[in-house]
């Protein structure tokens, strides 16, 4: 819908550019990222996450949204899609001049016994979010098992704590938050434990029953089961149409969001991206990336010439009173990308040391040995900590070195920062290590 | 003291590098920026703002601090300073191989009748801060007049409100916060008014009596008077020694913090700087700049080779529930620097729109017409708003365009940001205007 809106803004006349959207569900333009906060009761209902309805798209922008219409096939040679009207079951062929594939992501669901039971909740659609909220309201004091200790697992854990449940988080990896290096993730895990969560890392889940999650360490009794293992690209339709696939099976796109067939574009969680630091093709399923890719695709669909330069995997989240941010490559990712990283971890505060009410903050920065080029950053700390990662993201985008970030004129006031910002403290230390 | 510490770190042996510090006061290494929070009662006493005492410098770093010793003359030809022992009144000559001038700033005190009365409080030394705190504790419900509506005026106003005083802020300029463009400063003024402050802009102060501030509009009765007009470089000693002066009469330094005589360095509020965006020499009296200049001076004093690239004038502050940030050039400053600016102001939120508890945030970004090179940014908003300015500061340091900032992979989570960060929203809008 972001691409459709962007295209319409450039070509306001519907006679000049007709825009049809086929959506197998009933809603458009919604913020799935808000689901955990609906589950927590901070937001009343999933409908509050809908930014614009199909009717609003029609009346405000002359965009025709066909809800409950599933595209079941793409004929790239003929330039047409097969559409099934889910109300009638009838299929029809719709020709296109240009096509945008924006099919999003699908949750990862390993083929484990019982995983498709209705008691195993997902959080990847508004309907799933709504169902989980309703269940949770009846379960205060009961025990939930969340499978997966990444962003979604963490946010759902926070939500279930807020609703008074006991929470177990189980993850097959040796740490939570695999997008962080182990020593940074350890701080997140400590916070989870401090807030009463039973964290089981390095534990493989083997199956599900209505009242238990089976693991290699034995069963975990559960009044509620939530899956937060992550998502993969929903690219089956593109693959069936013969379009080239890229990173992790996502639709391979160029820097104009063009897929491998003429007139076909892809954007969002179904498409792959260029990683600005590693130079590799990656699949990053984040709303930020989807929105920016949508802007680029929309401009190009409207006949413009926009480029999507790439991604850093910048992300933040909050767990109760802890904020977590990351961008670029971790130490581990840098090594995997064939780079030689050098890194530093500093502990500082969100405020001046003498100012009351500040919180500890840990910053890890990673640079390339020798050149000092920044490769990535990770931040864990109290209120005000995580969004500091954006300064690192800008530095990565500009190809800055640790010393250039150290020398940057960061801002300061006692209630908001130490005189050397924590990010800058890390850059200062790292710059000293780059050649050491 | 920052330079002394940095130099000692590189040359740990005091036989190799002897470091003597002459300080006319009694304290070292203190955070003047914390004074308003002592006045507010958030911090107990000004002594809490002292980071390291003279004794600690001696025992931990073998740095000899001579307190109550005022340097009254510099003989750059001979390489010696004249030092007066304030306890005895005796003067002596101390030779040096290298000299760092770190005399800081002096408050601006226009020659108005009564300005030197004891009832007219300053906030530029710890002793003044201490005296103000003691007065304020007796004055709940009484009326204070603050002269000056900049950072210090604003922070002292917050402090006096917290102590239960009625507050009047008077400024000769047509707006508060002259480091912001008028439409952004207006939001600050609105917040001041909302919190009960009587803001008198465009009003010239003509004199002081113990119980009134005289203005061109008549007298303002005052139980307490505080001056927050700003500071200028304390460069009289350097000027008397024949050293070259730069912006606003500050000691002119090169990018190694070297003054115009061999072996003489200057750093901090007494020295000038290179502005990274305008390319002009400027005087920016901020703790951040002083600390970074001190690092560079310290390395060079120790025989190293460090460069101070320059400043952006990045600054943040907080007024009750409002955060304010700025970096680079305002529209007005860009015009004054001979640039042709184009700017945009967006209103957004600190959180996702649907997330409860977020605050409005206004972002103004300024770019160069045609090239799109970013020139500056200003932010006003609720908790979490102001430190977003650091991302803009990094972009300015890298010479980024508005479109590059728009395309940067900012981070997002509903409790911490909209999916397009407010800064990025402004960059997106501005990039569209750059050629328009």
């Amino acid at each position: 819908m972001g691409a459709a809106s962007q295209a319409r803004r450039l070509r306001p006349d519907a006679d000049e550019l007709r825009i049809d959207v086929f959506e197998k569900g009933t809603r458009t333009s919604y913020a799935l990222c808000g689901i955990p906060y609906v589950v927590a009761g901070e937001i009343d209902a999933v409908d509050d996450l809908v930014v614009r309805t199909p009717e609003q798209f029609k009346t405000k922008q002359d965009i025709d949204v066909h809800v409950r219409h599933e595209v079941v096939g793409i004929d790239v040679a003929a330039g047409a899609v097969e559409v099934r009207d889910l109300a009638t079951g009838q299929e029809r062929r719709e020709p296109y001049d240009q096509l945008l594939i924006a099919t999003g992501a699908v949750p990862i669901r390993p083929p484990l016994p019982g995983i498709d039971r209705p008691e195993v909740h997902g959080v990847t659609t508004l309907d799933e979010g709504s169902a989980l909220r309703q269940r949770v309201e009846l379960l205060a004091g009961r025990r939930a098992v969340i499978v997966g200790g990444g962003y979604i697992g963490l946010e759902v854990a926070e939500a279930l704590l807020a609703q008074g449940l006991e929470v177990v988080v189980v993850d097959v990896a040796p740490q939570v938050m695999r997008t962080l290096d182990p020593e940074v993730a350890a701080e997140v895990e400590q916070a989870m434990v401090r807030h009463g969560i039973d964290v089981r890392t390095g534990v493989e889940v083997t199956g599900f029953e209505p009242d238990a999650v089976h693991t290699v360490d034995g069963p975990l009794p559960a009044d509620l089961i939530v899956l937060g293992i992550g998502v993969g690209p929903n690219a089956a339709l593109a693959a069936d149409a013969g379009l080239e696939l890229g990173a992790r099976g996502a639709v391979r796109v160029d820097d104009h969001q063009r897929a491998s067939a003429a007139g076909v574009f892809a954007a969002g969680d179904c498409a792959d991206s260029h990683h600005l630091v590693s130079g590799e093709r990656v699949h990053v399923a984040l709303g930020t990336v989807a929105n920016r890719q949508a802007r680029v695709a929309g401009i190009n669909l409207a006949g413009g010439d926009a480029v999507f330069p790439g991604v850093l995997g910048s992300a933040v989240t909050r767990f109760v009173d802890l904020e977590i941010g990351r961008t670029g490559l971790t130490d581990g990712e840098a090594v995997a990308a064939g780079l030689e990283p050098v890194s530093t971890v500093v502990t500082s505060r969100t405020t001046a040391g003498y100012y009351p009410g500040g919180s500890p903050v840990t910053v890890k920065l990673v640079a390339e040995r020798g050149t000092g080029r920044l490769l990535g950053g990770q931040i864990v700390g109290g209120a005000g900590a995580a969004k500091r990662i954006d300064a690192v993201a800008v530095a990565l985008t500009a190809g800055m070195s640790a010393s250039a970030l150290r020398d940057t004129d960061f801002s300061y006031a006692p209630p908001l920062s130490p005189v050397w910002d924590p990010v800058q403290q890390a850059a200062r230390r790292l710059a000293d290590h780059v050649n050491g």
Side-chain angles (χ1 to χ4, degrees), chain A:
Chain A
M1 297 316 303
S5 292
Q6 178 68 52
R8 177 60 77 219
R9 227 170 291 149
L10 297 181
R11 303 277 287 273
D13 186 348
D15 290 336
E16 204 191 339
L17 183 71
R18 183 178 147 186
I19 303 175
D20 287 280
V21 178
F22 298 102
E23 163 58 48
K24 72 176 175 182
T26 57
R27 300 182 183 92
T28 52
S29 205
Y30 42 83
L32 289 177
C33 314
I35 289 176
Y37 312 100
V38 175
V39 174
E42 290 187 80
I43 296 169
D44 284 340
V46 292
D47 285 327
D48 296 335
L49 304 179
V50 175
V51 178
R52 187 168 281 195
T53 63
E55 295 69 31
Q56 289 170 323
F57 276 108
K58 181 62 188 172
T59 55
K60 291 188 180 175
Q61 298 187 280
D62 212 350
I63 292 169
D64 289 292
V65 182
H66 309 269
V67 294
R68 307 258 300 138
H69 279 68
E70 183 175 5
V71 173
V72 294
I74 305 171
D75 183 343
V76 296
V81 292
E82 283 298 321
V83 182
R84 182 182 299 150
D85 180 339
L86 297 181
T88 64
Q90 287 188 321
E91 291 188 9
R92 67 177 193 264
R93 196 170 171 85
E94 289 274 358
Y96 64 79
D97 296 311
Q98 295 179 109
L99 175 71
L100 173 69
I101 301 173
T103 43
V106 282
I108 293 168
R109 290 211 156 214
L112 296 173
I115 196 165
D116 292 323
R117 284 179 184 280
E119 293 87 358
V120 179
H121 285 263
V123 283
T124 54
T125 67
L126 292 188
D127 289 339
E128 285 178 344
S130 192
L132 181 57
R133 162 74 175 264
Q134 285 171 33
R135 274 292 321 270
V136 158
E137 284 177 345
L138 311 169
L139 291 177
R142 311 288 284 277
R143 185 174 144 114
V145 174
I146 298 170
V147 181
Y151 294 104
I152 293 297
L154 199 65
E155 291 167 2
V156 171
E158 180 194 77
L160 299 184
L161 286 180
Q163 293 282 18
L165 279 78
E166 284 186 30
V167 178
V168 182
V169 172
V170 56
D171 198 310
V172 66
Q175 65 174 70
V176 297
M177 298 295 288
R178 254 171 288 188
T179 56
L180 304 175
D181 280 316
E183 76 275 31
V184 183
E187 296 204 22
V188 180
E189 184 169 332
Q190 284 156 21
M192 294 170 77
V193 170
R194 199 162 58 238
H195 287 283
I197 294 178
D198 178 359
V199 182
R200 311 281 184 104
T201 51
V203 175
E204 190 178 347
V205 169
T206 54
F208 299 88
E209 288 191 44
D211 58 357
V213 174
H214 289 286
T215 78
V216 290
D217 286 355
L220 296 168
D223 300 305
L224 176 72
I225 301 168
V226 184
L227 274 191
I229 313 183
V231 297
N234 183 15
L237 200 58
D240 289 347
L243 291 168
E244 202 179 319
L245 301 185
R248 267 202 238 164
V251 183
R252 185 176 179 103
V253 293
D254 68 9
D255 66 359
H256 283 64
Q257 300 301 133
R258 289 181 292 231
S260 60
V264 181
F265 295 77
D269 289 359
C270 68
D272 75 353
S273 302
H274 168 77
H275 197 289
L276 287 166
V277 178
S278 71
E280 293 172 352
R281 299 304 300 180
V282 290
H283 177 245
V284 174
L286 290 171
T288 46
V289 172
N291 271 276
R292 283 183 293 118
Q293 289 184 342
R295 177 190 157 272
V296 169
I299 291 171
N300 293 332
L301 283 164
D305 180 16
V307 164
F308 182 73
V311 301
L312 296 166
S314 304
V316 288
T317 191
R318 185 196 66 186
F319 174 72
V320 195
D321 52 2
L322 195 75
E323 296 183 359
I324 302 146
R326 58 95 61 218
T327 187
L329 304 180
T330 60
D331 251 335
E333 289 167 344
V335 170
L339 296 159
E340 194 184 347
V342 48
S343 62
T344 192
V345 179
V346 301
T347 302
S348 178
R349 293 185 71 75
T350 54
T351 65
Y354 55 79
Y355 190 83
S359 313
V361 53
T362 299
V363 179
K364 175 169 186 170
L365 288 180
V366 183
E368 188 174 43
R369 190 176 296 279
T371 68
R373 177 174 68 117
L374 286 167
L375 301 177
Q378 298 158 61
I379 299 178
V380 176
K387 282 291 278 179
R388 283 171 151 100
I389 204 68
D390 290 341
V392 183
V394 176
L396 293 176
T397 301
M400 249 188 202
S401 66
S403 57
L405 190 61
R406 172 199 63 206
D407 293 343
T408 294
D409 199 0
F410 277 73
S411 61
Y412 154 65
L416 301 174
S417 181
V419 69
W420 289 84
D421 188 88
V423 167
Q424 203 173 19
Q425 289 178 32
R428 182 178 180 176
R429 175 104 53 98
L430 183 57
D432 289 340
H433 291 346
V434 162
N435 300 305

